[in-house]
Amino acid sequence: MLKIYLLGPLRVVDAGGSDITPLGKKTQGVLALLAKSPGHRRARSWIQDKLWSDRGPTQGAASLRQCLTEIRKAFGANSDVLCSANGFLSLDTKAFKIFDAPQESASGAELFEGLDDIRDAEFEHWLRDIRAEHIPAATQNGSSHVAGAPMPTLVLLEEPQQERSELLFAADFNGQVSHSLQEAGNIVMLLFLPKPVQQDTIVLSTRCLMHGTDWHVEVRLTDGRSDRLLWRAGRRIAGSGHIPLESLEVRELVRQAVTAVLDHCCRASYNGSPAGQAFLAQKLIFSLDSNHFIQAEHLLSEAYSREPRATYLAWKSFLRLTRIVEERREDPRVLQRDALELIDLALREEPNNSTVLALAAQARLLVEEDPTSCLHLARRSIDLDPSNPMAWGYHALGQVHVGKAKDAHLSALRARYLAQSSPFVFWWDMLCCVTACNVGEFEKAIDFAEKVRAIVPAYKPALRYLYPLYRANRQFEQADKALLRLRDAEPGFDPESYENPNYPVSTLRKTRLIEHV
């Protein structure tokens, strides 16, 4: 069993205690990249892009082969720890153990000391980000979460119902909530209130009453010990003689309940639990702040290391693609490949996870420009969880790219309705702006974009659309203001950027709005 130490200079020690670290800096860089990768596995092309981004593919491949030879030579009898097959490199997870927590001998040490000597822009970016991730999240965002904190136990309680149909409704509603929460993380769920009630118990209770043909539904989240109300929501659902289990109103109420539970999980002592960390990471991603991206990466990595769930990998893929849009790097290929690798691994681990499928639809559309695969994955996600607004969102974007503009707008409106309780509702407002543009409803598109700007004033996608939208609507004073805001958000922006195929307004270029830039 090899030991790989990451704090301080990278060190590899064999079972006998001998230091077998390769001498070459880029050779050590290969090991560093694999040591901090999901599953300790990466495509050879990804490694090349990180260490030899300034060289051609042939020269980079030759340099990588030389490094692999050096690693195997240094490892000697342990050379089979490094595996190479089908264009991928990996470390045999059964043959080594990684130490990246502070040791007495590494007190105050930096991660991968000495690898700053590797002069490659892509590796420098990676090293900076990975060091930032390694800083405990509590010191980065001021949170007081304790790693390893327990998840609350969630009791799905069906209140006493008067009619059998009401009981069936409550049972099915709780089943839908349970399914969505199981995808989010390993949350303990019970169907009865345990005695005695533990401190970390919360109760989601569902009560419904049928009056005439209408259904009145109330859902509450309470503290199990004190019965303190944490959240409540209610709906009157017009009936037609049948139990409205598949109505849009019920789906939206399911999503509200799921959001309320997850939001509770990332507060107070629970934000150190994997599911709580993942939900907090989503909040940080949707803040669209580059510093928050680093914190989100750390939280998702920590959540996955403690609870290997595909959902956490899928959100890391989503983060990579968000960084491409927001950071506007000149060459996004490394982040794109990283996103695809993460989502492919997530699909292998949980192919029937609705969230994983929805975020895989995003990767297929944005990286591979494959709307057919996007639609297939989004439709599969919807079949598994019809209340998932992300699934409906990427279904809408897939429809835009295959020319089904009216269907896309209807899907987007459905997604936005389901997401109305989400803290990230502005994302779906922006989606509705995009689809409204495609059906030529410019005033509605402006309204959706302004809703986005009211919540997130510097949200770049909204500003990118508002400028041509106001010009198309002959609101030139408003267009000039939108242009100034866009230049503040993107220094150096010029309207000619819209003509650049790499500028992130591909759906806008499919509309006649582009004529008004």
Side-chain angles (χ1 to χ4, degrees), residues 4 10 33 148 151 199 215 263 325 379 392 394 407 446:
I4 304 178
L10 176 73
L33 292 166
M151 283 296 291
Q199 182 176 353
W215 290 74
D263 193 51
V325 174
R379 187 70 252 177
W392 283 103
Y394 285 112
D407 291 341
I446 290 172

Side-chain angles (χ1 to χ4, degrees), residues 7 44 126 137 161 199 201 248 304 332 337 394 407 512:
L7 279 182
R44 295 176 74 108
W126 176 85
Q161 315 290 335
Q199 182 176 353
T201 299
L248 191 59
Y304 186 78
R337 289 174 181 169
Y394 285 112
D407 291 341
R512 58 186 178 87

Side-chain angles (χ1 to χ4, degrees), residues 364-365 368-376 397-399 401-402:
R364 297 290 179 260
L365 183 64
E368 299 183 336
E369 299 180 353
D370 183 355
T372 302
S373 292
C374 169
L375 283 169
H376 170 75
L397 286 174
Q399 288 173 315
H401 283 264
V402 296

Side-chain angles (χ1 to χ4, degrees), residues 12-80:
V12 184
V13 177
D14 67 15
S18 298
D19 190 324
I20 57 171
T21 312
L23 296 178
K25 289 297 183 184
K26 288 209 172 182
T27 304
Q28 291 179 17
V30 173
L31 288 175
L33 292 166
L34 291 173
K36 296 299 288 184
S37 291
H40 307 294
R41 181 175 184 268
R42 285 291 186 187
R44 295 176 74 108
S45 57
W46 187 90
I47 299 284
Q48 284 178 222
D49 282 338
K50 283 287 188 281
L51 291 167
W52 297 279
S53 63
D54 56 344
R55 300 186 187 179
T58 302
Q59 190 177 4
S63 298
L64 176 57
R65 285 195 299 272
Q66 180 62 35
C67 287
L68 300 181
T69 299
E70 290 178 18
I71 292 172
R72 293 189 176 103
K73 184 177 179 180
F75 283 10
N78 300 287
S79 61
D80 56 353

Side-chain angles (χ1 to χ4, degrees), residues 29 61 106 254 258-259 309 423 466:
V254 166
V258 169
T259 300
R309 294 296 307 271
L466 277 172

Side-chain angles (χ1 to χ4, degrees), residues 112-128:
F112 298 130
E113 281 184 13
L115 294 193
D116 308 77
D117 295 341
I118 297 176
R119 297 302 180 188
D120 186 284
E122 286 298 332
F123 186 82
E124 288 171 0
H125 280 306
W126 176 85
L127 188 59
R128 180 204 63 201

Side-chain angles (χ1 to χ4, degrees), residues 160-236:
Q161 315 290 335
Q162 295 181 354
E163 301 290 340
R164 182 173 180 273
S165 58
E166 295 168 356
L167 184 62
L168 287 172
F169 178 92
D172 187 86
F173 183 90
N174 284 349
Q176 292 184 46
V177 171
S178 172
H179 174 80
S180 294
L181 287 174
Q182 284 172 343
E183 289 192 345
N186 290 334
I187 300 173
V188 178
M189 285 178 272
L190 303 175
L191 296 177
F192 61 90
L193 193 62
K195 300 294 183 181
V197 179
Q198 300 300 311
Q199 182 176 353
D200 297 323
T201 299
I202 55 176
V203 179
L204 188 75
S205 57
T206 305
R207 176 186 291 275
C208 59
L209 174 67
M210 186 170 60
H211 183 72
T213 59
D214 291 348
W215 290 74
H216 299 264
V217 184
E218 181 185 63
V219 186
R220 293 186 177 193
L221 186 68
T222 57
D223 182 274
R225 276 192 168 182
S226 66
D227 206 33
R228 178 171 60 92
L229 183 66
L230 303 172
W231 167 86
R232 73 167 294 279
R235 285 287 183 276
R236 182 179 71 84

Side-chain angles (χ1 to χ4, degrees), residues 400 405-406 408-410 412-413 429-449 465 469 511-513:
V400 165
K406 291 183 179 179
H409 191 49
L410 291 175
L413 291 172
D429 282 325
M430 189 63 225
L431 172 67
C432 290
C433 167
V434 170
T435 56
C437 288
N438 276 269
V439 293
E441 297 186 2
F442 294 159
E443 289 188 6
K444 289 184 179 179
I446 290 172
D447 183 55
F448 279 118
Y465 272 74
L469 276 167
T511 73
R512 58 186 178 87
L513 270 181

